Amino acid sequence: KVHSSPARFDMKKLEAINGDKIRALTLDEFLKWSLPFLTKANVITGTDAEIELVKKALPLIQERIIMLNEVPKMLQFLFTTKFAVETESVAKITDDGSKAILTRSLKELETVTVWNHENIEAVLRASLIEEMALKPRIAFTALRIATTGSTISPPLFESMKLLGKEACLLRLNAGLAL
């Protein structure tokens, strides 16, 4: 009862299993496995402050990645000294609609006194979704690109919290200047 067809290697199944194994890791194990990828990609140098920030960011991406080599791309926006928007994403934040979203977001975020993801989300949802009547995908894509430089990142509001208020406001201003 042996079939004559040759064996197949299913890459999608392997990726799914790998993703399951990553999600099953504890935070310390995930950190231990991720640090070599981050240092090899020159995202971090390995200082205690960088490792603490990585520890805070890892739970945000653990559910979203399927391979450990995705960690540097997902977290590099937190550690970059010369922030830049990916070239393929620039066009998505330079149109008039995106400029209006960034201007409004900048104005609203300046008023946030306690910088946590709940307050950031509440202010932005009230302003962009309810008052401007935008769809979340449209409103938050421009914000995501302006703050992280890419359309792919950890959850937006948590990312903004990790970046800090000053860095977020600077990046939104830089996005408006494009």
Side-chain angles (χ1 to χ4, degrees), residues 102-169:
L102 295 179
T103 303
R104 182 75 173 260
S105 300
L106 190 61
K107 183 182 127 206
E108 296 295 333
L109 289 173
E110 286 173 343
T111 65
V112 176
T113 53
V114 178
W115 194 257
N116 60 33
H117 76 273
E118 292 91 359
N119 291 345
I120 297 167
E121 182 175 8
V123 164
L124 292 174
R125 282 195 185 277
S127 178
L128 301 175
I129 307 302
E130 294 168 16
E131 291 175 24
M132 291 179 75
L134 296 171
K135 294 190 184 300
R137 193 176 127 259
I138 293 169
F140 299 142
T141 297
L143 269 172
R144 181 179 308 280
I145 293 169
T147 54
T148 67
S150 173
T151 55
I152 300 168
S153 73
L156 176 63
F157 309 115
E158 288 84 346
S159 297
M160 293 174 81
K161 178 193 177 291
L162 289 175
L163 269 175
K165 184 175 182 175
E166 187 177 317
C168 281
L169 297 179

Side-chain angles (χ1 to χ4, degrees), residues 3-24:
H3 296 283
S4 61
S5 63
R8 286 183 292 137
F9 185 78
D10 190 350
M11 193 62 173
K12 288 203 182 288
K13 186 166 186 157
L14 177 65
E15 289 173 350
I17 292 169
N18 197 56
D20 290 342
K21 295 295 182 189
I22 288 173
R23 284 183 277 291

Side-chain angles (χ1 to χ4, degrees), residues 1 5 24-25 32 46-47 53 56 78 81 85 90 94 114 120 128 144 147 155 157-158 163 165 168 173 175 177:
K1 296 188 181 188
S5 63
L25 293 172
K32 183 181 102 179
T47 65
L53 186 54
K56 291 177 185 173
L78 290 169
T81 52
V85 174
V90 170
T94 54
V114 178
I120 297 167
L128 301 175
R144 181 179 308 280
T147 54
F157 309 115
E158 288 84 346
L163 269 175
K165 184 175 182 175
C168 281
N173 277 317

